[in-house]
Amino acid sequence: MRPVTRSSLQQSSALPARHPMGAGGDGVPLLDIVIPVHNEERGLEPSVRRLRAHLVGTFPYPFRITVADNASTDRTAAIAARLARELPGVAWVRMGEKGRGRALRAVWEASDAPVLAYMDVDLSTDLNALLPLVAPLVSGHSDLAIGTRLAGGARVVRGPRREFVSRTYNLILRSSLAARFSDAQCGFKAIRADVARRLLPMVEDTGWFFDTELLVLAERAGLRIHEVPVDWVDDPESSVRIFRTAVEDLKGVWRVGRALAVGALPLDRLARPFGDDPRDREIGAVPRGLVRQIVGFCCVGVLSTLLYLGLYAAARTGVGPQLANVVALLVSAIANTAANRRFTFRVRGRRRAVRQQAQGLVVFGIGLALTSGSLAALGAASGSASPHSELAVLVAANLAATVLRFLLLRAWVFPERN
């Protein structure tokens, strides 16, 4: 299969609706499981034989096991070649360079199977989770599937250091990239081939961060990720270098976060329509750019709120609460409109800038009415409120006006950028 290039991705349309897959035929497997290895001469053969025996006995579809040798310097390549000769349904490829992500990309792009998967060579995951992992992709329900050791129902045996690293890493992903999947590092994942063909050209990493980047981009594109709680027994002889891998992962988090922030990836090419219900054709898609605009608006809003609170606190030392509120809200509103114009709605140049600022001041007037009214209500209720009470009321009033402010900016102030 010819690799998909970034230019061809840019020219392609959105993904079609998912449909159930057939059982395969004419020697084409439905599932291709990749085992990436580097210098695994001790554990490779027993793991491949165990996996194949499980598939022969329990898996109802044609399959292939592909050993992807990442430039091993021991007898790994020779063992993989012998297994491919002896065992039907086993293949192997050799990479000239190291890198788990590089190996997965090469095999997945060349595979003719409609479902692609990978697992670590130590087979730490209970193999009974394999069919539940693949089934949602075969049925057409999901686009990707992952094993998770951190969800309810999972049973895990591993040391405290690896437990701490895994949970910390997933916390970083949730806080920095807003990831919602529970376990990025579990070496037990599957993807539909039609999704992989679109998604792989966007993934830059060739090492351990590869599948995390794949998941983050898929989730941001709105693809459906199915999670399967797994039983996991950690391999105490694992050759993974935790510190070095963590540093590379953090670099990857920074790179992907920056690309998402500036909208550098054509994630709209991965959008899925609704299912096969005739009523779904009447449902409109999410307005173009809405998600990006909401994210930009929230970021600008947080900074504007901090600016407003700082200005209010500074002005409050010399004037009353109402005047301090007017000054702080006016300055922050002008800055907010300018920032949203530039970053959220991506309006360039000076054309209509004055008019849009005037419209922004009308939006400011609505915010002023809400916040001033809240202060007046607080004064009437308590007589003499503390500065902390005033700030709390003002924050609540600003939050209440946020949704209305976004809708007015999008529909009235900057409608041509929708």
Side-chain angles (χ1 to χ4, degrees):
M1 179 184 300
R2 186 175 60 183
V4 180
T5 63
R6 186 177 296 271
S7 59
S8 65
L9 177 71
Q10 293 279 5
Q11 298 170 359
S12 61
S13 58
L15 284 166
R18 303 181 202 91
H19 295 289
M21 300 175 179
D26 298 328
V28 177
L30 181 129
L31 173 67
D32 195 346
I33 305 175
V34 183
I35 303 179
V37 292
H38 175 73
N39 290 346
E40 297 285 353
E41 63 180 4
R42 289 181 55 189
L44 176 59
E45 181 165 357
S47 291
V48 170
R49 291 186 178 276
R50 177 186 162 202
L51 174 60
R52 183 180 180 278
H54 175 84
L55 290 169
V56 169
T58 66
F59 198 71
Y61 304 107
F63 65 86
R64 178 193 300 130
I65 300 171
T66 302
V67 179
D69 174 30
N70 295 306
S72 294
T73 56
D74 61 1
R75 298 180 55 253
T76 296
I79 294 172
R82 176 171 55 79
L83 290 173
R85 291 193 302 269
E86 295 178 0
L87 302 177
V90 175
W92 79 287
V93 296
R94 178 169 175 80
M95 305 289 114
E97 300 177 80
K98 288 178 59 177
R100 181 180 67 169
R102 179 179 287 108
L104 290 176
R105 180 195 300 276
V107 178
W108 283 356
E109 287 182 339
S111 179
D112 53 358
V115 178
L116 310 168
Y118 94 89
M119 60 179 60
D120 293 335
V121 67
D122 55 20
L123 302 186
S124 294
T125 304
D126 180 10
L127 295 179
N128 288 321
L130 182 58
L131 185 55
L133 183 84
V134 173
L137 309 185
V138 176
S139 69
H141 176 271
S142 300
D143 298 293
L144 298 91
I146 65 173
T148 173
R149 300 160 295 185
L150 303 179
R155 297 184 297 180
V156 178
V157 178
R158 61 177 170 179
R161 183 178 65 165
R162 287 185 175 272
E163 182 76 12
F164 173 78
V165 170
S166 180
R167 292 188 178 274
T168 301
Y169 180 61
N170 283 281
L171 180 61
I172 291 172
L173 292 180
R174 287 175 178 269
S175 59
S176 61
L177 298 179
R180 296 187 299 274
F181 48 84
S182 62
D183 191 350
Q185 293 179 313
C186 181
F188 193 68
K189 297 181 175 71
I191 184 173
R192 288 174 63 105
D194 57 345
V195 175
R197 283 191 289 269
R198 300 286 187 88
L199 192 52
L200 288 177
M202 300 185 194
V203 180
E204 295 186 17
D205 191 80
T206 59
W208 290 96
F209 187 69
F210 170 86
D211 46 345
T212 298
E213 185 173 356
L214 188 82
L215 288 175
V216 170
L217 298 185
E219 188 175 73
R220 286 298 187 94
L223 298 179
R224 184 174 293 159
I225 301 174
H226 179 76
E227 297 197 2
V228 179
V230 298
D231 296 343
W232 176 281
V233 179
D234 200 19
D235 179 10
E237 299 181 1
S238 173
S239 60
V240 177
R241 299 179 181 178
I242 296 180
F243 178 77
R244 177 179 173 183
T245 302
V247 171
E248 295 301 318
D249 285 346
L250 291 177
K251 291 179 181 179
V253 169
W254 167 255
R255 175 178 53 78
V256 172
R258 182 176 57 186
L260 292 172
V262 301
L265 297 169
L267 297 180
D268 57 320
R269 301 297 186 185
L270 298 171
R272 285 279 197 192
F274 281 84
D276 59 357
D277 190 319
R279 294 170 297 177
D280 296 337
R281 300 184 182 94
E282 302 173 3
I283 301 176
V286 175
R288 185 178 181 183
L290 178 59
V291 174
R292 178 189 56 76
Q293 290 177 356
I294 290 176
V295 173
F297 177 79
C298 290
C299 293
V300 171
V302 169
L303 297 176
S304 299
T305 300
L306 294 175
L307 174 63
Y308 165 81
L309 293 175
L311 292 172
Y312 178 85
R316 186 65 180 86
T317 59
V319 299
Q322 292 289 1
L323 181 57
N325 177 54
V326 171
V327 172
L329 196 56
L330 178 61
V331 175
S332 61
I334 294 173
N336 180 278
T337 301
N340 276 309
R341 183 179 191 270
R342 175 66 175 81
F343 299 107
T344 303
F345 300 98
R346 297 186 176 180
V347 179
R348 304 291 190 270
R350 298 182 180 180
R351 180 175 176 269
R352 301 183 65 185
V354 175
R355 176 181 174 180
Q356 289 164 348
Q357 275 292 352
Q359 292 172 313
L361 289 177
V362 174
V363 179
F364 151 76
I366 296 174
L368 177 62
L370 286 172
T371 53
S372 297
S374 301
L375 281 177
L378 177 64
S382 60
S384 178
S386 67
H388 291 91
S389 298
E390 292 175 359
L391 285 174
V393 168
L394 290 172
V395 169
N398 272 282
L399 290 176
T402 296
V403 174
L404 181 58
R405 185 182 305 127
F406 175 76
L407 293 176
L408 288 173
L409 288 175
R410 191 172 196 275
W412 181 47
V413 182
F414 306 108
E416 73 278 5
R417 306 303 291 185
N418 291 355

